């Protein structure tokens, strides 16, 4: 018997289907972007160390992007594969794919766990010679790496849930995690309501707690809502026939995403030779840009299951229609981003407690880069 999720993929007009799936995912991606923006906003107000704290988070940011790249790449791979298998009516094989993707995410976590313990110090010290900034950066990098299971597990399970058409659940759980982070940040950073003031360490703890809240909530809701894919422990056993197509889609996605932290790490090293203010400004600018891009990534993630299901079901016309609608929508999103950052860069940057020199560099960067958003949006979709 065909369930509502697969029936919707077959019969709902593509424009309306994309809108219904994209809005929750766009809000979910905005929630993910909030982690970095909110952490930066709060640490900028740490007494006598705010700007150095922003710089420390900027140096740690490439590792956060690596975690995102691994999570997104695995999620894209499993999302496309599960949808294609569901479109072909192979539900049991789709469950195998979901289990194998979760297994791969666990392997990535183990790698990041050991990097956090033994590699974080060398990574941060390769970008700065300022001892105070370095220590804050090491603490933040170590915590987000050692406890990266929350992010990796959530992103994989999120894409599995999206593949079954239940995007509202992922939106609710992502927002719950972001709100947890927003509430905990000032409590742990500044030492409110009896907690010790932990500074950058508190920001990192608030981030990972928020991510685990999202993961646990999504796991509970997924199991309680009669899931289309019944994932068993046996599905975690690696299968070559599953891992091959999973990697075929996932590894290119990881490779593309991994260029971002490589670029960010390289820019940190180059700008450090100019001034710490340049590194700080780059960190603020890039997180604000990322906030604009996240809805586009959400639109992309909503397009993938529609295209993959239609491919598996042989509906070529629906594939073309979905791509056309996605390109129109992303152009509107990027236009809004250009208007925001070209029209109000100074008020936006003033939210961060930084020096006039740093703010000036950041405003200049936002105004220069925003005209490239139209090309970036089309690139994200295609």
């Amino acid at each position: 018997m065909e369930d509502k999720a697969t029936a919707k993929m077959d019969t709902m007009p593509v424009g309306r289907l994309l809108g219904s799936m994209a809005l929750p995912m766009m809000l979910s991606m905005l929630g993910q972007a909030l982690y970095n923006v909110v952490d930066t906003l709060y640490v900028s107000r740490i007494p006598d160390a705010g700007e150095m704290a922003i710089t420390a988070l900027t140096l740690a940011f490439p590792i956060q992007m690596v975690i995102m790249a691994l999570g997104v790449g695995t999620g894209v791979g499993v999302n496309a594969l599960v949808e294609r298998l569901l479109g072909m009516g192979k539900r049991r094989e789709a469950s195998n794919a979901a289990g194998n993707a979760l297994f791969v995410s666990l392997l990535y976590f183990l790698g990041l766990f050991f990097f956090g313990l033994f590699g974080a110090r060398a990574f941060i010290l390769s970008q700065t010679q300022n001892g105070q900034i370095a220590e804050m950066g090491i603490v933040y990098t170590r915590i987000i790496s050692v406890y990266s299971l929350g992010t990796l597990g959530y992103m994989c399970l999120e894409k599995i849930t999206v593949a079954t058409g239940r995007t509202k659940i992922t939106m609710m759980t992502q927002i719950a995690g972001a709100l947890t982070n927003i509430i905990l940040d000032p409590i742990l950073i500044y030492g409110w309501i009896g907690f010790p003031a932990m500074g950058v360490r508190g920001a990192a703890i608030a981030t990972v707690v928020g991510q685990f809240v999202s993961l646990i909530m999504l796991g509970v809701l997924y199991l309680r809502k009669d899931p289309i894919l019944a994932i068993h422990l046996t599905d975690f056993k690696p299968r070559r026939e599953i891992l091959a197509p999973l990697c075929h889609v996932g590894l290119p996605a990881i490779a593309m995403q991994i260029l971002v932290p490589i670029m960010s790490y390289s820019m940190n090293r180059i700008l450090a030779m100019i001034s710490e203010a340049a590194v700080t400004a780059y960190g603020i600018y890039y997180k604000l840009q990322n906030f604009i891009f996240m809805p586009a990534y959400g639109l992309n993630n909503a397009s993938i299951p529609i295209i993959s299901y239609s491919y598996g079901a042989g509906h070529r016309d629906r594939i073309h229609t979905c791509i056309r609608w996605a390109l129109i929508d992303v152009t509107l999103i990027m236009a809004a981003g250009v208007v925001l950052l070209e029209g109000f860069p100074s008020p936006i940057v003033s939210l961060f407690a930084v020096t006039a020199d740093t703010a000036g560099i950041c405003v200049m960067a936002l105004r220069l880069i925003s005209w490239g958003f139209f090309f970036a949006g089309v690139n994200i979709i295609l």
Side-chain angles (χ1 to χ4, degrees), residues 166 218-227:
R166 295 154 65 196
L218 182 58
V220 170
L221 291 174
Y222 181 86
L223 294 173
R224 289 185 61 185
K225 292 286 183 178
D226 189 23

Side-chain angles (χ1 to χ4, degrees), residues 298-372:
L299 186 63
N300 169 275
N301 290 342
S303 303
I304 289 170
I306 298 171
I307 293 170
S308 300
Y309 183 92
S310 300
Y311 180 80
H315 300 321
R316 193 177 184 87
D317 58 324
R318 290 176 70 84
I319 294 174
H320 294 160
T321 304
C322 181
I323 294 171
R324 186 164 60 250
W325 273 110
L327 287 172
I328 292 169
D329 292 344
V330 82
T331 300
L332 295 174
I333 292 169
M334 292 296 108
V338 171
V339 170
L340 185 66
L341 296 185
E342 285 293 329
F344 311 99
S346 296
I348 292 171
V349 173
S350 68
L351 296 172
F352 302 88
V354 294
T355 64
D357 183 28
T358 301
I361 298 170
C362 194
V363 168
M364 177 189 65
L366 290 172
R367 283 190 165 142
L368 283 172
I369 199 66
S370 61
W371 291 107

Side-chain angles (χ1 to χ4, degrees), residues 33-46 50-51 53-55 57-58 61 64 140 181 185 189-190 203 207 280-281 283-285 287-288 351-354:
L34 270 176
Y35 283 101
N36 291 321
V37 174
V38 169
D39 278 2
T40 305
L41 279 169
Y42 279 123
V43 301
S44 72
R45 288 169 169 76
I46 295 176
E51 197 149 324
I54 296 177
T55 305
L57 266 61
T58 302
F61 190 59
Q64 288 182 289
Y140 194 88
N181 179 56
D185 255 339
I189 292 171
Y190 308 135
T207 294
T280 305
I284 295 172
Y285 135 75
K287 289 169 186 178
L288 289 173
L351 296 172
F352 302 88
V354 294

